[in-house]
């Protein structure tokens, strides 16, 4: 009877501490302990491990809800045979998430349908599963929300929001041309996150034709500068360059930006 009182006391301690899973698991854990006679530490460790696991799962679900991903695709869904233009070595390097740790950026370039959104989201999911806060938005949405916020006097708050996640995915830059004011919102986001958090940006325009997305070439150059300084360029079309070659080409492409050739060739 006394033991039963202690048991009730323990359950109410667990409930008071909001350790719901441990409270739920207490009875079966005690039953198992009767048979296996684990040490005190082992028993406590096992019981609390169930709580840790449940908490981690809950947090992950929260991060995935917050992330706003448009698809449920994961890196395991990426079919490299179907997309020979995709550099597997580079994707695997990105999947280590070293770029998130280093607060670096990824630029995914390629024509519609080659899997840019899929890859960005799959990398985002990997990051969310690792524990990073991730948020997905399209470039058009980012700009529209920033503009609305500015009109409503909430611009700073919105800028803080864009700055919050460890990884911000900005999808579909270049489908719509960006007038100067819109581009300046994007510039603010990129520049505030610079060396502070990662961005994966996808675009259907090669770097050399970024001048066509932006009315203002200076802003285009400023955005590119920040993105590429600690950036990896992954082109899903044409020849499969290795990361090192990309890094070498960045300088050339950056200096070529002001020349802005017409046409949609991919960097
Ligand atoms: P993009 O964003 O470049 O326009 P998406 O990521 O939307 O392309 O891809 C178009 C469709 O093709 C999606 O349903 C996507 O899941 C699929 N897809 C693209 N590339 C691959 C791939 N390498 N492996 C498996 N599915 C792919
Ligand atoms: Mg897309």
């Amino acid at each position: 009877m006394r033991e039963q009182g202690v048991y009730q006391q323990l359950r109410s301690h667990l409930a008071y501490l909001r350790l719901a899973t441990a409270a739920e698991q207490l009875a079966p854990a005690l039953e198992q302990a009767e048979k296996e006679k684990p040490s005190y530490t082992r028993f406590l460790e096992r019981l609390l491990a169930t709580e840790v696991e449940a908490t981690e799962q809950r947090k992950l679900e929260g991060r995935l809800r917050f992330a706003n991903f448009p698809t449920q695709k994961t890196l395991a869904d990426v079919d490299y045979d179907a997309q020979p233009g995709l550099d597997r070595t580079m994707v695997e390097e990105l999947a280590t998430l070293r770029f998130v740790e280093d607060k670096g950026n990824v630029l995914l370039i390629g024509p519609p349908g080659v899997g840019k959104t899929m890859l960005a989201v799959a990398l985002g999911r990997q990051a969310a599963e690792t524990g990073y806060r991730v948020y997905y938005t399209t470039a058009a949405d980012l700009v529209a929300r920033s503009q609305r916020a500015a009109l409503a006097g909430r611009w700073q708050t919105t800028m803080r929001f864009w700055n919050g996640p460890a990884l911000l995915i900005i999808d579909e830059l270049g489908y719509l041309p960006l007038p100067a004011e819109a581009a300046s919102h994007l510039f603010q986001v990129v520049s505030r996150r610079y060396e502070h958090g990662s961005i994966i940006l996808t675009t259907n325009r090669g770097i050399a034709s970024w001048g066509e997305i932006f009315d203002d070439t200076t802003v285009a150059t400023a955005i590119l500068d920040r993105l590429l300084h600690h950036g990896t360029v992954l082109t899903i079309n044409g020849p499969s360059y290795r990361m090192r070659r990309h890094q070498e080409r960045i300088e050339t492409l950056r200096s070529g930006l002001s020349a802005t050739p017409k046409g949609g060739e991919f960097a």
Side-chain angles (χ1 to χ4, degrees):
M1 218 40 226
R2 192 154 170 271
E3 195 59 21
Q4 188 60 23
V6 176
Y7 172 81
Q8 289 306 339
Q9 196 70 53
L10 179 50
R11 282 222 47 157
S12 72
H13 288 335
L14 292 172
Y16 179 73
L17 294 170
R18 295 178 199 284
L19 304 177
T21 308
E24 230 168 73
Q25 293 301 316
L26 183 58
L30 283 168
E31 209 168 292
Q32 200 184 0
E34 279 301 318
K35 285 182 240 146
E36 294 176 11
K37 307 277 182 219
S39 65
Y40 298 127
T41 47
R42 169 60 66 197
F43 174 78
L44 202 52
E45 188 279 327
R46 268 196 216 153
L47 183 65
L48 291 186
T50 62
E51 185 67 45
V52 167
E53 222 169 273
T55 304
E56 275 175 353
Q57 187 58 34
R58 209 167 44 241
K59 285 186 171 179
L60 171 61
E61 280 160 16
R63 284 196 300 278
L64 289 176
R65 260 196 314 277
F66 174 81
N68 189 36
F69 292 139
T71 85
Q72 300 302 311
K73 294 282 168 70
T74 71
L75 285 166
D77 296 316
V78 177
D79 181 349
Y80 294 92
D81 296 330
Q83 185 50 270
L86 183 57
D87 188 331
R88 183 172 195 151
T89 312
M90 267 179 90
V91 174
E92 283 168 357
E93 163 61 29
L94 292 173
T96 66
L97 300 176
R98 203 165 310 150
F99 77 97
V100 182
E101 203 178 312
D102 296 345
K103 306 180 193 318
N105 304 309
V106 179
L107 200 53
L108 291 178
I109 305 175
V114 293
K116 299 185 297 298
T117 299
M118 177 192 190
L119 197 57
V121 168
L123 288 168
R125 169 170 293 265
Q126 177 93 344
E129 280 174 1
T130 309
Y132 290 110
R133 253 160 68 86
V134 182
Y135 190 78
Y136 169 96
T137 182
T138 61
D141 209 46
L142 180 147
V143 163
R145 277 171 66 178
S146 303
Q147 258 159 357
R148 276 200 305 276
L151 290 174
R154 291 183 289 100
W155 191 77
Q156 289 293 354
T157 312
T158 302
M159 285 297 136
R160 273 199 297 279
F161 176 80
W162 298 129
N163 221 356
L167 171 61
L168 180 67
I169 299 173
I170 307 175
D171 203 8
E172 298 183 353
L173 179 73
Y175 285 99
L176 299 169
L178 287 185
E181 198 209 332
S184 83
H185 291 301
L186 181 63
F187 170 74
Q188 285 295 332
V189 172
V190 170
S191 122
R192 279 159 192 248
R193 290 187 62 84
Y194 177 65
E195 295 187 333
H196 172 90
S198 296
I199 294 176
I200 298 180
L201 188 135
T202 85
T203 175
N204 59 332
R205 302 296 190 104
I207 291 172
S209 59
W210 270 39
E212 291 164 31
I213 311 172
F214 297 94
D215 280 353
D216 184 343
T217 325
T218 321
V219 177
T221 314
I223 290 175
L224 263 180
D225 246 11
R226 281 156 185 78
L227 282 178
L228 296 182
H229 185 212
H230 305 289
T232 300
V233 179
L234 182 55
T235 308
I236 317 183
N237 184 43
S240 161
Y241 297 105
R242 290 277 175 264
M243 192 160 345
R244 262 170 281 108
R245 278 211 63 198
H246 270 297
Q247 299 295 5
E248 285 163 20
R249 293 191 80 208
I250 285 168
E251 280 311 315
T252 326
L253 291 163
R254 199 185 297 179
S255 57
L257 181 70
S258 44
T260 313
K262 287 280 170 201
E265 83 253 31
F266 296 97

